[in-house]
PDB file of all heavy atoms in Angstrom:
ATOM      1  N   ALA A 211      -6.639 -20.843 -40.026  1.00  0.00           N
ATOM      2  CA  ALA A 211      -6.085 -21.259 -41.317  1.00  0.00           C
ATOM      3  C   ALA A 211      -7.163 -21.260 -42.394  1.00  0.00           C
ATOM      4  O   ALA A 211      -6.927 -20.832 -43.535  1.00  0.00           O
ATOM      5  CB  ALA A 211      -5.455 -22.646 -41.196  1.00  0.00           C
ATOM      6  N   VAL A 212      -8.361 -21.722 -42.049  1.00  0.00           N
ATOM      7  CA  VAL A 212      -9.472 -21.733 -43.012  1.00  0.00           C
ATOM      8  C   VAL A 212      -9.851 -20.305 -43.403  1.00  0.00           C
ATOM      9  O   VAL A 212     -10.072 -20.001 -44.585  1.00  0.00           O
ATOM     10  CB  VAL A 212     -10.685 -22.480 -42.429  1.00  0.00           C
ATOM     11  CG1 VAL A 212     -11.905 -22.320 -43.332  1.00  0.00           C
ATOM     12  CG2 VAL A 212     -10.366 -23.957 -42.236  1.00  0.00           C
ATOM     13  N   ILE A 213      -9.939 -19.415 -42.411  1.00  0.00           N
ATOM     14  CA  ILE A 213     -10.283 -18.015 -42.699  1.00  0.00           C
ATOM     15  C   ILE A 213      -9.208 -17.372 -43.574  1.00  0.00           C
ATOM     16  O   ILE A 213      -9.507 -16.649 -44.525  1.00  0.00           O
ATOM     17  CB  ILE A 213     -10.468 -17.241 -41.383  1.00  0.00           C
ATOM     18  CG1 ILE A 213     -11.718 -17.738 -40.649  1.00  0.00           C
ATOM     19  CG2 ILE A 213     -10.569 -15.735 -41.651  1.00  0.00           C
ATOM     20  CD1 ILE A 213     -11.898 -17.152 -39.274  1.00  0.00           C
ATOM     21  N   GLY A 214      -7.951 -17.622 -43.241  1.00  0.00           N
ATOM     22  CA  GLY A 214      -6.877 -17.079 -44.062  1.00  0.00           C
ATOM     23  C   GLY A 214      -6.914 -17.614 -45.481  1.00  0.00           C
ATOM     24  O   GLY A 214      -6.726 -16.862 -46.455  1.00  0.00           O
ATOM     25  N   LEU A 215      -7.192 -18.920 -45.632  1.00  0.00           N
ATOM     26  CA  LEU A 215      -7.261 -19.532 -46.959  1.00  0.00           C
ATOM     27  C   LEU A 215      -8.392 -18.936 -47.783  1.00  0.00           C
ATOM     28  O   LEU A 215      -8.283 -18.830 -49.013  1.00  0.00           O
ATOM     29  CB  LEU A 215      -7.447 -21.040 -46.810  1.00  0.00           C
ATOM     30  CG  LEU A 215      -7.426 -21.872 -48.103  1.00  0.00           C
ATOM     31  CD1 LEU A 215      -6.076 -21.736 -48.806  1.00  0.00           C
ATOM     32  CD2 LEU A 215      -7.731 -23.339 -47.801  1.00  0.00           C
ATOM     33  N   ALA A 216      -9.478 -18.529 -47.121  1.00  0.00           N
ATOM     34  CA  ALA A 216     -10.622 -17.950 -47.835  1.00  0.00           C
ATOM     35  C   ALA A 216     -10.270 -16.636 -48.523  1.00  0.00           C
ATOM     36  O   ALA A 216     -10.996 -16.190 -49.417  1.00  0.00           O
ATOM     37  CB  ALA A 216     -11.781 -17.738 -46.866  1.00  0.00           C
ATOM     38  N   THR A 217      -9.162 -16.016 -48.154  1.00  0.00           N
ATOM     39  CA  THR A 217      -8.757 -14.753 -48.799  1.00  0.00           C
ATOM     40  C   THR A 217      -7.942 -14.990 -50.069  1.00  0.00           C
ATOM     41  O   THR A 217      -7.588 -14.027 -50.753  1.00  0.00           O
ATOM     42  CB  THR A 217      -7.930 -13.889 -47.827  1.00  0.00           C
ATOM     43  OG1 THR A 217      -6.669 -14.540 -47.549  1.00  0.00           O
ATOM     44  CG2 THR A 217      -8.681 -13.679 -46.518  1.00  0.00           C
ATOM     45  N   TRP A 218      -7.639 -16.237 -50.358  1.00  0.00           N
ATOM     46  CA  TRP A 218      -6.803 -16.552 -51.527  1.00  0.00           C
ATOM     47  C   TRP A 218      -7.369 -15.992 -52.838  1.00  0.00           C
ATOM     48  O   TRP A 218      -6.624 -15.426 -53.653  1.00  0.00           O
ATOM     49  CB  TRP A 218      -6.607 -18.062 -51.621  1.00  0.00           C
ATOM     50  CG  TRP A 218      -5.854 -18.509 -52.839  1.00  0.00           C
ATOM     51  CD1 TRP A 218      -4.641 -18.078 -53.269  1.00  0.00           C
ATOM     52  CD2 TRP A 218      -6.311 -19.461 -53.809  1.00  0.00           C
ATOM     53  NE1 TRP A 218      -4.273 -18.724 -54.439  1.00  0.00           N
ATOM     54  CE2 TRP A 218      -5.296 -19.573 -54.790  1.00  0.00           C
ATOM     55  CE3 TRP A 218      -7.461 -20.235 -53.934  1.00  0.00           C
ATOM     56  CZ2 TRP A 218      -5.420 -20.420 -55.883  1.00  0.00           C
ATOM     57  CZ3 TRP A 218      -7.577 -21.092 -55.021  1.00  0.00           C
ATOM     58  CH2 TRP A 218      -6.558 -21.167 -55.985  1.00  0.00           C
ATOM     59  N   PRO A 219      -8.708 -16.109 -53.100  1.00  0.00           N
ATOM     60  CA  PRO A 219      -9.222 -15.570 -54.371  1.00  0.00           C
ATOM     61  C   PRO A 219      -9.033 -14.059 -54.519  1.00  0.00           C
ATOM     62  O   PRO A 219      -9.110 -13.547 -55.641  1.00  0.00           O
ATOM     63  CB  PRO A 219     -10.721 -15.930 -54.317  1.00  0.00           C
ATOM     64  CG  PRO A 219     -10.817 -17.078 -53.367  1.00  0.00           C
ATOM     65  CD  PRO A 219      -9.760 -16.824 -52.344  1.00  0.00           C
ATOM     66  N   PHE A 220      -8.810 -13.356 -53.433  1.00  0.00           N
ATOM     67  CA  PHE A 220      -8.641 -11.901 -53.508  1.00  0.00           C
ATOM     68  C   PHE A 220      -7.201 -11.503 -53.835  1.00  0.00           C
ATOM     69  O   PHE A 220      -6.882 -10.318 -53.898  1.00  0.00           O
ATOM     70  CB  PHE A 220      -9.077 -11.252 -52.193  1.00  0.00           C
ATOM     71  CG  PHE A 220     -10.514 -11.490 -51.859  1.00  0.00           C
ATOM     72  CD1 PHE A 220     -10.872 -12.499 -50.991  1.00  0.00           C
ATOM     73  CD2 PHE A 220     -11.509 -10.732 -52.447  1.00  0.00           C
ATOM     74  CE1 PHE A 220     -12.208 -12.737 -50.688  1.00  0.00           C
ATOM     75  CE2 PHE A 220     -12.848 -10.953 -52.156  1.00  0.00           C
ATOM     76  CZ  PHE A 220     -13.204 -11.964 -51.275  1.00  0.00           C
ATOM     77  N   GLY A 221      -6.354 -12.503 -54.002  1.00  0.00           N
ATOM     78  CA  GLY A 221      -4.993 -12.226 -54.434  1.00  0.00           C
ATOM     79  C   GLY A 221      -3.949 -12.441 -53.366  1.00  0.00           C
ATOM     80  O   GLY A 221      -3.961 -11.726 -52.354  1.00  0.00           O
ATOM     81  N   TRP A 222      -3.114 -13.444 -53.558  1.00  0.00           N
ATOM     82  CA  TRP A 222      -1.989 -13.699 -52.669  1.00  0.00           C
ATOM     83  C   TRP A 222      -0.701 -13.367 -53.411  1.00  0.00           C
ATOM     84  O   TRP A 222      -0.642 -13.408 -54.635  1.00  0.00           O
ATOM     85  CB  TRP A 222      -1.959 -15.163 -52.233  1.00  0.00           C
ATOM     86  CG  TRP A 222      -2.902 -15.489 -51.118  1.00  0.00           C
ATOM     87  CD1 TRP A 222      -3.916 -14.725 -50.643  1.00  0.00           C
ATOM     88  CD2 TRP A 222      -2.915 -16.701 -50.353  1.00  0.00           C
ATOM     89  NE1 TRP A 222      -4.570 -15.365 -49.626  1.00  0.00           N
ATOM     90  CE2 TRP A 222      -3.975 -16.578 -49.415  1.00  0.00           C
ATOM     91  CE3 TRP A 222      -2.147 -17.850 -50.351  1.00  0.00           C
ATOM     92  CZ2 TRP A 222      -4.282 -17.583 -48.504  1.00  0.00           C
ATOM     93  CZ3 TRP A 222      -2.445 -18.852 -49.452  1.00  0.00           C
ATOM     94  CH2 TRP A 222      -3.494 -18.715 -48.532  1.00  0.00           C
ATOM     95  N   ALA A 223       0.319 -13.058 -52.667  1.00  0.00           N
ATOM     96  CA  ALA A 223       1.609 -12.727 -53.265  1.00  0.00           C
ATOM     97  C   ALA A 223       2.384 -14.006 -53.587  1.00  0.00           C
ATOM     98  O   ALA A 223       2.257 -15.016 -52.890  1.00  0.00           O
ATOM     99  CB  ALA A 223       2.421 -11.857 -52.304  1.00  0.00           C
ATOM    100  N   ALA A 224       3.148 -13.946 -54.663  1.00  0.00           N
ATOM    101  CA  ALA A 224       4.071 -15.041 -54.955  1.00  0.00           C
ATOM    102  C   ALA A 224       5.188 -15.005 -53.916  1.00  0.00           C
ATOM    103  O   ALA A 224       5.753 -13.939 -53.651  1.00  0.00           O
ATOM    104  CB  ALA A 224       4.630 -14.883 -56.365  1.00  0.00           C
ATOM    105  N   LEU A 225       5.484 -16.161 -53.335  1.00  0.00           N
ATOM    106  CA  LEU A 225       6.416 -16.193 -52.210  1.00  0.00           C
ATOM    107  C   LEU A 225       7.831 -16.545 -52.672  1.00  0.00           C
ATOM    108  O   LEU A 225       8.052 -17.557 -53.330  1.00  0.00           O
ATOM    109  CB  LEU A 225       5.960 -17.230 -51.171  1.00  0.00           C
ATOM    110  CG  LEU A 225       4.596 -16.970 -50.525  1.00  0.00           C
ATOM    111  CD1 LEU A 225       4.271 -18.063 -49.515  1.00  0.00           C
ATOM    112  CD2 LEU A 225       4.565 -15.601 -49.862  1.00  0.00           C
TER     113      LEU A 225
END
Side-chain angles (χ1 to χ4, degrees):
V212 172
I213 292 173
L215 185 62
T217 67
W218 176 53
F220 299 97
W222 279 13
L225 298 180

